[in-house]
Amino acid sequence: MPTLVNYSGDDELYPGSSFGPMDLGRLYTIGSNVDVYYPPNKRARISAPFIFNNHEHEKDQKPSVDTLPDECLFEIFRRLPSAKERSSCACVSKKWLMLMSSICKAEIERPASSNVEMISSDEDQDGYLTRCLEGKKATDVRLAAIAVGTSGHGGLGKLSIRGSNSVRGVTNLGLLAVAHGCPSLRSLSLWNVSSVGDEGLAEIAKGCHLLEKLDLCLSSSISNKGLIAIAEGCPNLTTLNIESCSKIGNEGLQAIARCCPKLLSISIKDCPLVGDHGVSSLLSSASELSRVKLQALNITDFSLAVVGHYGKAITNLVLCGLRNISERGFWVMGVAQGLQKLVSLTITSCRGVTDASIEALGKGCSNLKQMCLRKCCFVSDSGLIAFGKAAGSLESLQLEECNRVTQSGIIGALSNIKPKLKSLTLVKCMGIKDIDVEVSMLSPCKSLRSLTIQNCPGFSSASLAMVGKLCPQIQHVDLTGLYGITDAGLLPLLENCEAGLVKVNLTGCWNLTDSIVSALAKLHGGTLELLNLDGCWKITDASLVAIADNCLLLNDLDVSKCAITDAGVSILSHATQLSLQILSLSGCSDVSNKSVPFLKKLGQTLLGLNLQHCSSIGSSTIDLLVENLWRCDILS
């Protein structure tokens, strides 16, 4: 089966260029395999001596392909048997390419040609071809070539344009070519393409009625007019993402609400003209809407009241940087009782999130399973505990930079959210400090399986020991950046984990020593699959001895910036029960060229090897390893 590929190189087709019979033969031979054809290099295309003569002589010697009127060319193209032949002919000159791209597919294709062969190697999961243009590759000529080239291979399904050529960037003319040649387009993404405006989007709306996803970011020339055209021409729209579009406001969103009943997902970020009228229209009209993200918008409590009342199908809700929404807005959203299907809720940098409002959310969202609060500075222990009591279905709780939450709040939450809570994540919560609590008086949280505590400097050995006793079924532990914990603090957690630890991340815990790694290997070597000791500079080869002797299932080991030597690598290579797939020795300056035979032996199972900043390993040694460990990705 032929493979459809993007062309590379310069995208100019010079008006003065033409093909001889041999070139046309080559063109037809490969026409079914590529979007467009280019000769091997420009030099071959300008070899004719008349190209370099004076301009008047050049005018007199115009190639014959440019003397034919467009009407004649259209009749010729129309009589070609298939889109593949037309695609090949479009490569003859820039004029032919642009003419082909300006003709609607329906005007030129015969009904029988609709039964085309699909190209499996370049399809996305929905069976449609995907193209992405970035930076200097994004030009109108290239879009025209894609539009013409893909028409004979099942049609373009997804198009992404990110950035634009600074000299010959994508304009409305390029989108016109897509609209004419790609009626099968389902997804369009325009990022930072300021030269495309309402006219281009209107052409898409006219020619691509099957469009399901529209993604606009930094599209400063697109206004409500363009979005209204999409709403009226693309009733199948299911996903709408708008970010930093300064001219899109309420009118465009209201048109989407009126004309797009299949809308399932919306994301609106940093659009200053979007207010309550646009957001409330969308939320009250799109009855199937399941995913909503509202960020940095000038909306008020009214919009959240509409979310709480009409969001009966919403399962995922993200609210970020909504500075004009007060405590009442979040409280009403909860007590409205409309978010019964809400599964995941993320709130970031919203001053209206308080103890009272999150308690109301816990009560009103009865099926909530994932809750993430970031930079919510007014949430304290009492609110967290009240939320824990109310949210009976909660499985995952994440708190990031919620500095009013203390150790008491965490313990209270663990004691109250015990029926289903499986994951607890604390990141940069500066209010957490060690306190003296009698754990035997508390009810254990036996459902918790994953504990992540990152960069909380007040969470030290005493806190960790207490959590270990409170949560005996933990399997995944991430203690990144807890430089205050010691072997004595971590040991109770290891001893109380009844289920067996599977993943352990101790990055940056530089007070830990070989003793705790040895205890970890002996207690949990039968279940441990991942161990990260990055930055634990007190860890030596003795830890690798314990790992080699006890760890049966370990496949991912990171000992970057540890005191590991060639002897330690040798120990790992001789461990018959180990089958490491990932090994990181980054920054291990005592690992040298002498480790090559050991690394080769480990390479029988390795898929990834990190040797960055290993100053004692030379570049020739790296080359030798790359040559021998051909199955393994090596970072150096």
Side-chain angles (χ1 to χ4, degrees), residues 302-322:
F302 179 75
S303 289
L304 286 203
V306 173
V307 171
H309 185 75
Y310 290 99
K312 299 185 185 303
I314 296 178
T315 58
N316 294 72
L317 178 60
V318 178
L319 306 171
C320 181
L322 304 179

Side-chain angles (χ1 to χ4, degrees), residues 23-55:
D23 291 315
L24 285 173
R26 290 174 62 197
L27 231 170
Y28 277 92
T29 301
I30 68 169
S32 61
N33 293 326
V34 297
D35 286 348
V36 295
Y37 167 78
Y38 286 101
N41 52 56
K42 290 182 180 179
R43 184 170 299 172
R45 288 155 58 190
I46 59 174
S47 58
F50 74 86
I51 296 283
F52 297 96
N53 290 345
N54 62 61
H55 294 297

